[in-house]
Amino acid sequence: MNTPSLDRRSFLIGTVLAGAAGLGGAASRHDGGLGAPSETLRGGMPWMEGTADAPPGVSGTDFRFFTAAERAFIEAAVNRLIPNDDIGPGAVEANVPFFIDRQLAGQFGRGEHFYLGGPWKKGVPEQGYQSRYSPAQLYRAAIKAIDAYTAKQFGGKNFAALSESDRDQLLKDLEAGKVELEDGVDAKTFFTMLLQNTKEGYFSDPIYGGNRDMGAWKMIGFPGAHYDYSEWVTRHGEKVPLEPVSFKGRRGWREA
Amino acid sequence: MATNLKPVDAVIVGFGWTGAILAQQLCDAGLNVLALERGPWRDTPTDFAPTFAQDELRYMWRHHLFQNLTYDTLTIRNNADQEALPMRRLGSFLLGTGVGSGGVHWNGQIWRFLPTDFLTRSHNEQRYGKKVTDGLTVQDWGITYDELEPHYDAFEKLCGTSGKAGNLRGKIQPGGNPFEGPRSDEYPTPPFVQTYGPTLFGQAAASLGYHPFPHPTGNLSQAYVNPLGAQLGKCTYCGFCEKFGCGNYSKASPQTTVLPYVMAKPNFALKTESEVLKIELSGDKKRATGVTYVDTAGQEFFQPADIVILSAYVLHNVRLLLLSGIGQPYDPKTGEGVVGKNYAYQTMSSVNVFFDDKLMNPFIGAGAHATVIDDFNGDNFDHGGLGFIGGAYIAGMITGGRPIEMIYTPPGVPAWGLEWKHAAAKYYLRAMNISVHGSSMATRGNCLDLDPTYRDALGRPMLRMTFDFSENDRKMTDYLSDRAGEVAKAMNPSAVKVNKRTGSWNVTPYQTTHNTGGAIMGTNPRDSVVNKYLQSWDVPNVFSMGSGAFPQNAGYNPTGTVAALAYHSAQAIVSQYLKSPGPLVQP
């Protein structure tokens, strides 16, 4: 096999970009398109040291997107979506609010894989997400609108101050699209995203900040990021006693 | 102003499965070949190493390997009375991008269509009468199973496909699919070993008199070296196949089967992050002179070529044909024109099966790990009095147990709250899914054209998709879902949930990335875009690959047929077209 060659100018640009942007830059190289300069590849399978597409995990414990009031809303909501008990952790105990915060502060929050261009029309439900809001904007607008709604309905209280049963009922009404919210927020669209993000934070790899101590995986019996179950294939119906594993601590993965 | 580049013999637009196959075939014939791929380079150790490949959030839910809609999407609607709006998030189908494209993040389900699937109109009308196709614009393909058989065989060998033949040269074989067309050879590797759930499904199906067999798979049952010298490893059942790249070289993909060979060819080059804007035509519009593409710096280039291979995804191929003025655009009002006609999909439903007393361990999975019955697919059963044509395979299938996507809860359990959590905790290990993978028959109103309002980041009109499930397909999926429910009940479960396909097509929930049609093949230019060699009737040095050529979609995953058509096309280019460039079929 010949030595793989790269167009030299592209290679230099690629190296500089990856170096300047660190791990985030390396990740965006691989993401979806328009991430890197064009390259001409010939003479074999190209491979470049130091470009592995390791996941952009999170570090620290500080909230970067939610205000204190928004954080109170999120904790009060996800606590009802997945409550805590002795069967397994609740969403708050699994650190889901922190997970959602970091998601909204990053690529997902900015809607980097969404098409958000205009014109913006409501369409029919079959046409799916039709908001101009990015996910971060939608959360910000929806929390404000829901707090305004509860203030009107419950004598000035915001959502976080409601009783568990009132919160449950309001979440059901949001889910059913029964609540009219201000600022063009579609209740059902927001609820759907909140529930999805809550389950994501509950069940995704702990490198993203949720699923604390892999508690959700332990509860259901998912062994996590194993890559070889060969010996268990024909052991039908047996309990697989593997402890769950995360990407954390593996070779090839480091915190951003 | 575009910069003119040095001519090549063939330019390949899009570098997934069909682009890789055509590159290999044309390079072997000595042509100087350039492939243009709009997305990035991708390889196993860099992009999906086993240290980080099993990441449900990043790949499935954050769409890391998929097309980024910010730059390019399409508009969607159910019918012509609605205004089409942009698909703002991926959902129903997950479009690929980058080298290998969907071939990187597919499940590896490798099927052949039935011989009668290629005769959708003539066979069904002959057996059931002309009325049976009322309201459908289905067509025969203009190619037969027998013509494609050697090419199906070639793709199965390229991939090292694991399976059991059901029909070897006309002789029915125990353990395989007795309904399949005659095969010239056995699968290259033995069938995939089944875990508990698919095994129970097979026993239940057999107890009802059906004919279960292991799903043919590109997740390999043992190590294999393919005819191009590429080595694949034995699948480890990690359960991260569809939507993920395989870190273990166990899933057939362009990367694991073709690229090591073709990338080393001295007469081949690949340009990444280079998006083709248009196929350029001669003054009389009878010949393509090459393609114009733009790189990520915004620089435009004209790449002259003697042959243009369109091997992007079906939706991009159709849009490029429309943007380039190749072929008459289809008009659903009059039924005239061809480009964009007969867009079809796949009609999916499912059944969840719950066991209080058995562990399914769904995390032990693989993309095509299933036991299947084909008794109700295509015309394998008598449709007399049923009011529809087509069918589905029914598969007791465990592709993995990725918990954000694949927690099944019994009927009546809400989607959140303590009751949901308790059901998730109890049934994650004790449930499995039966997939009902149905055909999609073409109708006059289901089509593709250019959107009048929305444009992509490059300023081009988006593709507009008009689609809803036909009456025919609703009856089919109802009937098939009931049959799947019966098999589920025969598994002696504690509960069964039949998830029928109801309502109009909805872009949000994931269904399948099996979009077909719009650049359909046929016997004459009045009702098709390409001939049986996938050669444009209008511009004979343009060949359009992929599932766009399907006049309607059968009840199987399309990749096997897509690849077989590509090999068939490549063989015709090499053995006939190069000697005498021009139409390979006289209209």
Side-chain angles (χ1 to χ4, degrees), chain A:
Chain A
M1 190 183 278
N2 299 332
T3 312
S5 73
L6 279 167
D7 175 83
R8 187 170 160 74
R9 186 174 159 272
S10 298
F11 178 76
L12 288 172
I13 294 170
T15 310
V16 170
L17 276 181
L23 197 59
S28 70
R29 258 188 85 79
H30 307 266
D31 188 43
L34 289 189
S38 306
E39 290 172 338
T40 301
L41 307 170
R42 52 162 58 96
M45 295 283 274
W47 182 79
M48 276 191 288
E49 192 174 343
T51 58
D53 192 21
V58 304
S59 57
T61 55
D62 55 315
F63 278 56
R64 294 181 185 170
F65 176 75
F66 290 130
T67 63
E70 288 167 344
R71 180 176 171 176
F73 173 98
I74 286 295
E75 288 176 351
V78 303
N79 166 267
R80 300 316 304 151
L81 296 178
I82 310 180
N84 190 39
D85 71 356
D86 54 9
I87 300 285
V92 171
E93 290 69 22
N95 217 21
V96 168
F98 174 74
F99 165 88
I100 296 178
D101 178 83
R102 290 307 184 83
Q103 289 293 309
L104 295 178
Q107 283 192 332
F108 172 74
R110 294 191 292 273
E112 287 190 7
H113 270 254
F114 287 56
Y115 177 77
L116 297 171
W120 301 274
K121 304 195 174 174
K122 199 166 157 49
V124 295
E126 285 77 6
Q127 288 170 307
Y129 193 85
Q130 288 300 335
S131 174
R132 187 184 181 184
Y133 288 132
S134 69
Q137 291 167 330
L138 179 63
Y139 269 81
R140 184 137 281 157
I143 292 171
K144 175 172 168 272
I146 293 168
D147 275 342
Y149 176 85
T150 58
K152 241 184 263 169
Q153 301 287 319
F154 295 92
K157 285 186 186 170
N158 63 21
F159 177 82
L162 301 185
S163 70
E164 287 188 351
S165 61
D166 282 344
R167 276 182 276 151
D168 283 350
Q169 189 54 51
L170 184 58
L171 288 167
K172 280 180 199 162
D173 290 346
L174 294 170
E175 183 180 28
K178 283 187 198 163
V179 182
E180 282 294 321
L181 298 172
E182 61 186 41
D183 290 333
V185 176
D186 182 75
K188 209 170 174 175
T189 301
F190 173 67
F191 179 87
T192 304
M193 188 179 284
L194 176 65
L195 180 60
Q196 170 66 21
N197 294 158
T198 301
K199 290 184 178 175
E200 288 169 357
Y202 196 64
F203 285 126
S204 58
D205 196 287
I207 60 168
Y208 298 108
N211 193 10
R212 180 184 275 147
D213 299 330
M214 297 178 278
W217 288 354
K218 287 173 188 161
M219 177 186 81
I220 60 172
F222 175 56
H226 279 278
Y227 98 101
D228 189 355
Y229 295 112
S230 300
E231 64 173 301
W232 295 96
V233 171
T234 53
R235 294 170 72 171
H236 290 176
E238 285 186 43
K239 178 93 189 148
V240 178
L242 296 171
E243 283 294 310
V245 291
S246 154
F247 297 133
K248 263 188 179 162
R250 280 193 181 177
R251 268 176 76 86
W253 186 84
R254 61 197 165 93
E255 299 207 1

Side-chain angles (χ1 to χ4, degrees), chain B residues 306-389:
Chain B
D306 290 334
I307 298 174
V308 175
I309 306 289
L310 278 183
S311 50
Y313 193 59
V314 37
L315 303 176
H316 308 301
N317 283 351
V318 171
R319 184 161 70 140
L320 275 174
L321 289 171
L322 290 167
L323 290 170
S324 307
I326 298 176
Q328 191 189 340
Y330 173 67
D331 180 353
K333 283 196 207 93
T334 62
E336 299 289 313
V338 287
V339 183
K341 175 181 160 176
N342 280 20
Y343 169 73
Y345 192 39
Q346 202 90 72
T347 317
M348 307 290 288
S349 67
S350 68
V351 178
N352 308 140
V353 197
F354 303 89
F355 299 91
D356 282 346
D357 59 346
K358 294 186 179 76
L359 290 176
M360 297 293 110
N361 293 332
F363 48 83
I364 310 173
H369 164 230
T371 301
V372 191
I373 58 168
D374 214 21
D375 298 67
F376 295 101
N377 211 340
D379 199 33
N380 293 342
F381 60 111
D382 186 357
H383 290 68
L386 294 175
F388 66 84
I389 60 170

Side-chain angles (χ1 to χ4, degrees), chain B residues 378-441:
Chain B
D379 199 33
N380 293 342
F381 60 111
D382 186 357
H383 290 68
L386 294 175
F388 66 84
I389 60 170
Y393 70 70
I394 301 174
M397 185 157 195
I398 297 187
T399 65
R402 304 178 299 269
I404 304 168
E405 181 188 1
M406 302 167 120
I407 287 187
Y408 309 114
T409 52
V413 174
W416 52 275
L418 217 45
E419 195 185 343
W420 171 81
K421 191 178 95 170
H422 291 170
K426 177 168 180 187
Y427 285 108
Y428 169 73
L429 292 178
R430 294 176 179 81
M432 69 170 286
N433 190 53
I434 296 174
S435 175
V436 185
H437 190 280
S439 51
S440 178
M441 295 301 162

Side-chain angles (χ1 to χ4, degrees), chain B residues 5-17:
Chain B
L5 300 173
K6 276 192 212 147
V8 294
D9 296 328
V11 66
I12 288 180
V13 181
F15 205 49
W17 264 127

Side-chain angles (χ1 to χ4, degrees), chain B residues 214-246:
Chain B
H215 194 305
T217 163
N219 332 122
L220 267 54
S221 64
Q222 65 179 41
Y224 177 76
V225 180
N226 81 2
L228 299 178
Q231 299 181 42
L232 290 102
K234 182 176 184 291
C235 174
T236 58
Y237 294 74
C238 83
F240 287 80
C241 247
E242 187 179 29
K243 298 126 187 170
F244 306 86
C246 177

